[in-house]
Amino acid sequence: MHPSHAPFVVLKFGGTSVSSVANWRNIRDVLKQRLAEGVRPVVVHSALSGITDRLEGLLGAALAGEPGPALAQIEERHAKLAAELGIELPPGVRRQLAELGQIAAGVALVKEVSDRVRARVMAAGELMATDLGVAWLATQGLDVEWVDARTVLFAEERKGASEKAGILSATCDFAPDAAMQAKFSTPGRVYLSQGFIASDAEGNTVLLGRGGSDTSGAYFAAKLQAQRLEIWTDVPGMFSANPKGVPNARLLKQLHYDEAQEIATSGAKVLHPRCILPVKQYRIPLYVYATQTPALEGTVITATPADADAAQVKAIAIKKGITLVSMESPGMWHQVGFLADVFQVFKQHGLSVDLVSTSETNVTVSLDPAANTLDDAALEALQASLGSLCRAEVIGPCAALSLVGRNIRGILHDLGEAFALFEEQRVYLVSQAANDLNFTFVIDEEQGDRLVAQLHELLIRPTANDRVLGPTWEQLYAPAGAARARDAPWW
Ligand code: ASP
Ligand code: MG
C-alpha cells in the first residue's frame, strides 16, 4: 500500500477503453499493478465510445420533438455494459438519465438549446461512464472513490474567446494544486474522475471541446504534479503515419513534446493537441498505451528523447478538408499594409488562418476545418469582402500533407527525391514552420493518401536498433494486424 506522500500517476482511458469487459479487466490489473509499485493512481476517463455523439443526437431529436428513442438507446448502452460487468445500473446513472429526460422534454418544448444546456447534456456521458467504472472496480477488491471533475478543474478566462467557446471548448488553470493533492491522499485508494468536463466561476458545467479528455488527464497530472501521465487508448502510441492507409507505419518509441504536439496538430487523433502543454510545462513524461494490449510498450513523450538533436522526418501526417483562399493583386508589390488589410477581413469574418504563403502578387492562406465553421455562405461572404482589395479565389477540398520532425530544415537536401513525387501534382502552398518542426504541402485532397504512402516509403527508414522508429503495425499485431489497422478509428 502506498504511503500518503507517494507520487501520483494519472491514467487517462478513452471511450473504447471503457466500453468492454475485457478492457475493464485490463484497467483493473493495471491499477493493481500501479498500487503494488507504490504510486498513487488517479484515473480520468471518457464516456463510453459513441455516447457523446449520441448525446448530441439526443439534443437534435429533442429539437425535432422526439427525444424518446435517442434517450432509450443511451440507457440501453449503459444497461448492457452494466449487465456484462455483472453489476446493477448504478443510481448515479439512473439520476443522469432522469435528468436527461427532463432536459430533453424542455428542449422539445421551447425548440432551443443554449450552449449551457448543451454542455450539461454532453457532460452526462462522462458522469455515467465513471459511475459504472467505480461501481465495477469496487467489486474487484479495489478501494475507489468517485470524484466530480467539476470540483477540481476550473475554466480560466480566455481573452478574445467567444462565450460559446468558453462553455463548449474551455481551457483550465493547471498550476500545481496543493489542496487537490491533499484531497487525494488516502493510502491505497484509487481516485476516479471524468474527462472532458470542468466548471466555470459560477459553478456551471463547461466542456473542454470534443476529444478533451486527454486534456483533462494532462490538467490532473499538472495539478497533482504527477510522476507520469499515461494515456490509454486503442493504439499503443503515435505512428510514423496513419496505419490505416500505411500498414508499414512504425511506432514512434520516443518523441519530444514539441514533435508530439506537431504530429497531433497535423492530423493524428491519438492525442489531443491541447494535452501536451500542461505536461510539457512541468516536464511530466507522457506514456501512450493500448488498453487491449497493455504489455506493449508505446510511445514515450518527454523533453529528452533519444537522438533529440538529430534531424529526421519522424511522421508523415495529413489533414483533409482544408480550404485555401488565394488572393491575387498585381498592385500589392511593395505596397504598405496589404497583408494587414486582408487579414483584417478574415478577422471580421471570425475566420482563423492556418498556413500562409506570399509572393509578389499573390497571398494564399489555408483555413482549417477544425478551427472554423465553413459553409458556402460563409465563403461567399468572405470573397465578397475581399473583392475590394484583390481577386480572391476559393480552392478546395485540399489536404495539408506534413513532414514532421525536429530540425527539419537540416535535412532539406535529403528531400530531393521526395519533392520529385510532387512533380505531377498541383502544389498550392508550401510552408516551412517557423518552429522548424514541419514542412507542409497543400495539394488536392484526392491525391493525399497516395502521396502519404509514397513519402513514407521514401523517408521513414529505420536503422538497425533504431531508438525512435519501432515495429510496424503489422509486426505488433500479426497476424490480425492488417484487419486491426483497417478498423483503427484514430486518424
Ligand atoms: N467524450 C468526449 C468526446 O467524445 C471527450 C473524449 O472522449 O475525449 O469528445
Ligand atoms: Mg481521443
Side-chain angles (χ1 to χ4, degrees), residues 236-248:
M238 294 189 121
F239 281 71
S240 56
N242 180 359
K244 204 168 174 177
V246 184
N248 58 353

Side-chain angles (χ1 to χ4, degrees), residues 23-79:
N23 278 347
W24 271 109
R25 289 200 187 108
N26 289 347
I27 294 175
R28 171 201 62 199
D29 294 347
V30 168
L31 291 175
K32 289 192 169 169
Q33 208 177 314
R34 293 294 172 272
L35 287 166
E37 286 162 9
V39 297
R40 281 189 271 180
V42 175
V43 175
V44 173
H45 75 76
S46 295
L48 305 190
S49 63
I51 286 295
T52 312
D53 288 336
R54 285 207 184 274
L55 288 164
E56 288 220 84
L58 171 66
L59 286 171
L63 282 172
E66 249 238 276
L71 189 59
Q73 279 179 344
I74 291 168
E75 171 161 8
E76 222 169 90
R77 188 67 200 290
H78 291 86

Side-chain angles (χ1 to χ4, degrees), residues 12 211 214 269-270:
K12 180 265 170 177
D214 293 345
K269 300 253 159 55
V270 184

Side-chain angles (χ1 to χ4, degrees), residues 44-45 126-127 130 146-149 192-197 216 220:
V44 173
H45 75 76
E126 269 66 12
L127 291 166
T130 48
W146 187 89
V147 176
D148 188 330
L192 187 148
S193 190
Q194 307 77 39
F196 191 44
I197 68 173
S216 303
F220 270 75

Side-chain angles (χ1 to χ4, degrees), residues 190-221:
V190 175
Y191 294 87
L192 187 148
S193 190
Q194 307 77 39
F196 191 44
I197 68 173
S199 60
D200 66 10
E202 288 89 51
N204 296 308
T205 303
V206 298
L207 304 177
L208 308 186
R210 290 306 303 268
S213 293
D214 293 345
T215 313
S216 303
Y219 289 155
F220 270 75

